[in-house]
Structures are given as C-alpha cells and as structure tokens.
Amino acid sequence: MQLFIKLFGSLLVFVYHCFDRIVIHGYLSGVSRPEQVVYFFRQVVGVSAVDKEVLSRRTNEYQNWVEAFARNHHTPIEWAEKGVRKEDYVQRWLRSMERADSYGVYFIFKSMEQGPTFRCTLPKYPTKDPNHRILAPNRSRFTHYYFYIRDEVLGPIVMRVASFFPFQTTYYLNGHSFIEQELTRAGIGFRKHDNAFWAVDDAPALQAAADRLSPVLIRERLDYWTLLLGPKFSVKERQRINLRRFYAISQIEYCRNFIFKRHFPIHKIFERSCELGLWRLCADKISEIFGTRVSKRLKGKLATTLEQIEHGHHIFRAYWKHAFIKQYEKFATFLRNEICSNNLADFGLKKGLEHLAAVREKFLAITERFATFQAQCLNAQVDFPLLQRLALPISVGSAKYPGIKIHDTRMIRLMQVLLHASTTIGGWRAQQLHQALVMSFGLSAKRYGLSQLRYDLRKMRAHALLERDGTRYAYRLTHKGVKVALLFVLFHQRLCGPLANSLFHHRPDANFQPDSKLETAVHKADVSIRNVIQLLEAA
C-alpha cells in the first residue's frame, strides 16, 4: 500500500476505505426449529393443534397490518414489476423525503419470492395424540415485503420481511450512506455521487466516520425497525420465549477508494492493472493476496476475469473460493479496489454481526496486499542502464554467459510464459516450460528443443532473473526477474505487437496500392518502428 501511494501520491487527492454493501439476515432464534414452533403455539399461545390454519392466521394478521400501515401513513405500496430495478424506481420518493429532511418509511414493495417456512402434514398412521401434526422446514414461494427506509443514523436502508412463519428478515445497508449521515451531522462539507465521495473538507474525519460503523450501532437500529415494522407478538409471548433476533452477515463488501485529480491516470492505471492482473495473478498470487495457501482441499473458484457489465465499464475480478476481489474505475474520478464475500467461513471468520470488527481487519489487510501487488507490477519503468547491463555478457565462476537483449524473441517468449504462471504453484520444470512454449507459440520441437530451453534458463539464472524452488529443478522468476520480464514483454507488445499482428503487416505492392488513408498511415508507422528496432539491434 505504501508503494502505491509513493508511486501515485502526486496524482491522488485522498484515499479512504470503508464497508460498502452489507446484507444481514435476521433470525427469530426462539422459533427457528419445528420443535420450538410447536412449543410456542401449544405452551405459549395455547393452541392444541399446530396446523396450516394456525400458521396462515399469523400470516393474514401481518399482511393486514402492513396494508393498514401503508394506508394510515399514506405510504405507497405496490407489487414489484419484472425487469424494473427497485432502487431506481423508488428514487423520487427518497428525494422527496430528503428535501423535507424527514425520516421513516417512504415506499413498500410486495414481491413473490422463495423463502424459508414450515409445512404441516397429518401423520400417516394414527397416534395417541389426535392433535399431533408433522411440522417440517420447507421452502416455498410467498409474499415478501420490502420496506424502503430513511434512517437518521444509517441513511437509506432496505428491510425485507417474509410474511410466512418464522418471518425471516433481511437488511440491506451501505457504509457510504452511514458516512454521509455522520459528516452531515458534524457539519463537514463533502461532495458525494451515487456510492462514492468525490471531495471532502476533512479527509481524516471521513475515515474516522467510516471506522465508527460498529455492530452495536447497527443492532440498535435494526432492532428498532424490526420492532416497528416486523410481525407483532404480545407482551406475554415475548416474556415466555426468546423472540430477540440473531443477526448474521450474509454478504459483505469492503472497498478502498483512490480519488485522483484527473481522469487520465485512472484510465491508464486501470488499463495496465487489468493487463498485468490477467498475466500475473496466478493461483499462488491470488492465495497470497487472500492470506492462505493453495491445497488440494481448496473448494470454489480460483481464477481471474475481465468483465464488461455496462458499455465502457470494465471490472477486473480475482475469484477465491466464494469470494472475489475486484477493481474498476467509476465516474472518471476514482479507482476502487473492493473485496466481496458470500461466506465468511472461507476466511475463518464467524458470520455473527458482533464479529464485524474482525471482518474489517481481515478485509483491510487483503485490499492492502492487492494494492501492493499492483504497485509492484506497475513499478516497471524503462531503466536504460538495466537494459545495458543485461545486454552485456556475465561470468559465473569459470562459465561465461551471453547477455539478454530486448529484441531476443526466444527470451521474450520464455518470459511471457513465466509471467503467466497459471496453476503452477511450485515453479516450472524444464519439460513443463517446453511444452507450454511449444503449445502457446505453435513451435516445433526441432525449431526449439529442450536443450535450447535449458540453455536459456541457465542464462536467466546467471543474470539473477530465475531461482530454483528449494532443491527441486523447478524455476520461478525472482523479484528482479518479474520487473525485467514485465519490461521486456510490455515493450515488445506495446511497440511491435499492434502492427506485427495486424492485417497490415504485409508490404504494399508498388503496382497496386489501395486508396486508403488508414492503410497508408499504418504502413508509415510500421516503417518507423522497424527503423527503431534496427537502431536498437545495432546498439
């Protein structure tokens, strides 16, 4: 992280990190299992037979209460339409509430969705108890209510309540909304758009506000809205059974935001980061960033992708188990590194809300390692003295090895394969490297044999670009080797690749030249680059 700031500090305005999207499930721990439900209705409510009609009565009571609440508070309530994004649809009601500086529920959506409930059936054979029913957990499709709330502490949040017993709830929060409320309360000026802060009068105060998001504060606000909008239980029922909800983190995102002064460096840094990430983020590097080791017991994804969700909006992702870390540029103003987890057990963390501080500490370290990895790859500058030293022959003991020149095609191919390590964790053996080179570049064994590869490997080891994996005859790039390989490969691809591999690589026929300004310009550029390469070879 310090290296990233050192490289691009003059281009940055400020950097901050915080929780982004948090999805929390709320469970009624006292009635979550069938035997608890039977005890609740028989011993607490006083119902002898716990059948479908008893559960339906509770559902109808709550649905009628929601309709009455919307009617009494003049809150719009509608069925969610397919293909319509709920957050965008309710924006005009949220803006109206923000202009009035009021808090509360501003919209209610009804949606038919799958959810957990119970199924009641009669026993197959007669029992001694005529009121005995078989109660089993079940998932079915029924009505869920989405309450859109503007909270005075957490900002805009969404609370989803299932209308079937045991009334599981889900809460959707955003750390940026909480920071906005904190800065507004403290009177600190800021500029925020969508889900990011573009400018702030006091950057340390922004980070301090992000760090104040605590489990105690979240629990207090969720308990308040659950009591107000959730299913109703009498005082007697609450006294005789534990109806306090247990809050568990279902999905969580933690982001690190780099706010730049201009758009140009953001686009270039992100473009190069994607290119290097697809090369360098192999299995061992991904596991190193996430702080674990790769083993045969690893389950889930372990890969990198570059996706285009919207036009012109690319997202680079590195998947690990049920989590991933992603990077993207947004609004031509900032660069964001963000980690998302759908199962905290992958990190050895507990999902209870009270463990939020441990999640912050773990995810903060992962985003730091990711930024450090990118800075190490991006810190591959054109070092002409280094190129001159590598081009000179070197003596190791009594053996003398030739230099490595930047136009050596064999070395560039070898470096490119070594950079893209794929799933090779313990280094490359010579035979594996030879097979990868032959397959990647369509070479024949006669054109590039195994003995030639071993000669190139010895030459790279002599220049301290390769190291062995312990005592094994397996090789990996050193830290110096990574920088040199990146410099050589990027120089080759940026300078020669676009034209050498294009449709205009042929020389124009003097007797027939198409009337194309584009082809004429490309041929002129091709000739100029060929002259540059010849000068480099001569040097």
Side-chain angles (χ1 to χ4, degrees):
M1 183 60 197
Q2 297 300 326
L3 180 59
F4 194 96
I5 301 297
K6 183 179 179 180
L7 287 176
F8 309 109
S10 60
L11 305 174
L12 291 169
V13 181
F14 63 95
V15 181
Y16 73 96
H17 51 85
C18 66
F19 285 109
D20 192 37
R21 187 171 186 261
I22 306 176
V23 181
I24 301 173
H25 287 324
Y27 303 94
L28 281 171
S29 54
V31 290
S32 59
R33 296 194 296 271
E35 58 271 20
Q36 294 175 323
V37 176
V38 174
Y39 173 83
F40 171 74
F41 281 106
R42 283 194 169 186
Q43 304 299 327
V44 179
V45 181
V47 177
S48 57
V50 185
D51 52 15
K52 183 178 179 180
E53 287 71 21
V54 172
L55 298 179
S56 299
R57 193 180 308 124
R58 286 275 175 165
T59 297
N60 294 333
E61 289 176 358
Y62 180 63
Q63 291 180 348
N64 293 334
W65 181 90
V66 173
E67 297 289 341
F69 176 87
R71 185 170 54 254
N72 295 336
H73 292 81
H74 306 287
T75 304
I77 179 171
E78 299 177 9
W79 282 99
E81 296 183 9
K82 187 176 181 180
V84 177
R85 193 167 182 265
K86 299 183 182 70
E87 287 73 15
D88 296 337
Y89 185 83
V90 302
Q91 277 301 309
R92 66 187 185 97
W93 285 277
L94 176 59
R95 288 193 293 267
S96 176
M97 181 164 282
E98 289 174 342
R99 286 193 296 268
D101 195 22
S102 59
Y103 301 96
V105 181
Y106 58 89
F107 200 89
I108 302 174
F109 262 127
K110 295 187 290 184
S111 178
M112 292 292 292
E113 299 177 7
Q114 288 277 347
T117 183
F118 296 100
R119 181 182 70 252
C120 294
T121 56
L122 289 170
K124 187 175 181 179
Y125 301 101
T127 60
K128 295 180 180 180
D129 185 3
N131 296 322
H132 177 69
R133 300 291 185 274
I134 299 176
L135 199 66
N138 183 41
R139 289 189 66 84
S140 62
R141 185 177 173 86
F142 55 89
T143 303
H144 288 70
Y145 293 99
Y146 284 81
F147 295 92
Y148 286 80
I149 307 165
R150 184 171 184 254
D151 184 73
E152 57 185 351
V153 176
L154 299 177
I157 66 174
V158 182
M159 175 180 170
R160 186 186 72 167
V161 185
S163 62
F164 276 27
F165 213 85
F167 304 112
Q168 181 176 319
T169 55
T170 306
Y171 311 86
Y172 303 86
L173 323 176
N174 195 293
H176 287 86
S177 299
F178 168 76
I179 298 173
E180 180 181 3
Q181 295 297 114
E182 292 289 300
L183 296 179
T184 302
R185 192 177 298 107
I188 299 174
F190 63 89
R191 185 156 54 95
K192 177 177 177 287
H193 181 70
D194 188 39
N195 198 26
F197 290 92
W198 289 8
V200 65
D201 293 342
D202 190 351
L206 171 65
Q207 187 58 59
D211 296 338
R212 283 196 293 271
L213 185 62
S214 64
V216 176
L217 186 146
I218 296 176
R219 176 180 289 276
E220 179 185 348
R221 301 312 302 167
L222 298 188
D223 283 342
Y224 171 79
W225 290 112
T226 305
L227 180 64
L228 182 65
L229 302 174
K232 308 306 174 185
F233 296 93
S234 65
V235 177
K236 174 188 173 183
E237 293 170 349
R238 292 185 176 276
Q239 289 176 347
R240 296 194 58 181
I241 194 170
N242 179 22
L243 292 174
R244 183 177 176 85
R245 290 190 180 265
F246 169 75
Y247 297 111
I249 299 172
S250 173
Q251 184 187 76
I252 190 165
E253 297 176 356
Y254 197 85
C255 63
R256 185 183 292 272
N257 305 279
F258 301 91
I259 312 301
F260 284 78
K261 298 176 183 178
R262 296 183 302 152
H263 170 246
F264 176 76
I266 305 176
H267 180 72
K268 291 301 179 183
I269 291 171
F270 177 65
E271 185 182 61
R272 182 60 58 85
S273 297
C274 292
E275 184 178 15
L276 296 176
L278 293 173
W279 276 354
R280 292 284 298 137
L281 264 184
C282 49
D284 59 336
K285 290 296 181 182
I286 295 176
S287 61
E288 182 181 331
I289 289 173
F290 281 90
T292 58
R293 292 193 309 171
V294 176
S295 65
K296 294 181 179 180
R297 297 182 179 180
L298 180 67
K299 296 181 179 180
K301 289 185 177 180
L302 193 63
T304 56
T305 61
L306 183 63
E307 303 173 359
Q308 183 176 354
I309 307 300
E310 300 173 357
H311 177 69
H313 180 50
H314 294 80
I315 299 177
F316 174 77
R317 299 176 189 261
Y319 290 92
W320 179 81
K321 289 189 177 182
H322 302 93
F324 60 87
I325 189 166
K326 63 181 178 180
Q327 184 183 62
Y328 57 92
E329 55 173 330
K330 201 169 185 182
F331 305 127
T333 309
F334 73 95
L335 186 70
R336 172 173 289 176
N337 294 345
E338 185 174 78
I339 179 173
C340 176
S341 172
N342 297 302
N343 187 1
L344 291 176
D346 293 341
F347 302 90
L349 299 171
K350 297 181 179 180
K351 65 179 181 179
L353 182 60
E354 59 272 14
H355 301 286
L356 189 66
V359 176
R360 176 189 280 115
E361 182 179 355
K362 188 80 171 182
F363 284 8
L364 181 60
I366 293 174
T367 56
E368 285 183 355
R369 288 194 290 267
F370 183 61
T372 301
F373 166 80
Q374 289 188 317
Q376 291 173 350
C377 293
L378 293 170
N379 191 23
Q381 309 299 329
V382 179
D383 189 354
F384 288 105
L386 173 63
L387 296 179
Q388 293 174 355
R389 291 194 302 270
L390 289 172
L392 297 175
I394 187 171
S395 298
V396 180
S398 60
K400 190 173 182 179
Y401 297 92
I404 300 175
K405 297 180 175 59
I406 198 168
H407 59 270
D408 191 342
T409 306
R410 274 171 50 173
M411 297 305 300
I412 291 174
R413 287 172 176 169
L414 178 57
M415 289 178 181
Q416 184 169 346
V417 172
L418 287 168
L419 279 172
H420 188 64
S422 185
T423 57
T424 305
I425 307 301
W428 290 83
R429 299 184 72 89
Q431 292 181 348
Q432 293 175 328
L433 268 175
H434 185 258
Q435 184 179 3
L437 283 164
V438 169
M439 292 180 61
S440 299
F441 299 100
L443 305 176
S444 64
K446 293 183 179 179
R447 183 179 178 186
Y448 187 66
L450 189 59
S451 59
Q452 293 173 295
L453 171 62
R454 289 196 173 102
Y455 174 76
D456 292 339
L457 292 175
R458 288 196 297 271
K459 186 163 61 173
M460 290 187 69
R461 282 195 67 193
H463 287 272
L465 305 182
L466 277 184
E467 63 181 359
R468 284 175 58 182
D469 180 29
T471 59
R472 298 172 61 243
Y473 285 95
Y475 304 93
R476 62 161 62 94
L477 289 171
T478 62
H479 182 67
K480 176 185 175 182
V482 171
K483 295 181 65 174
V484 171
L486 287 172
L487 178 61
F488 274 51
V489 174
L490 290 176
F491 184 86
H492 174 75
Q493 291 197 350
R494 293 296 185 188
L495 183 63
C496 309
L499 292 178
N501 299 320
S502 68
L503 296 176
F504 306 99
H505 66 279
H506 61 277
R507 295 187 178 185
D509 190 349
N511 299 322
F512 176 73
Q513 291 187 359
D515 187 14
S516 171
K517 295 182 179 180
L518 174 61
E519 186 163 355
T520 303
V522 170
H523 280 302
K524 288 182 180 179
D526 196 6
V527 172
S528 300
I529 290 177
R530 191 179 299 110
N531 293 334
V532 172
I533 295 174
Q534 291 175 354
L535 291 174
L536 288 172
E537 293 177 352

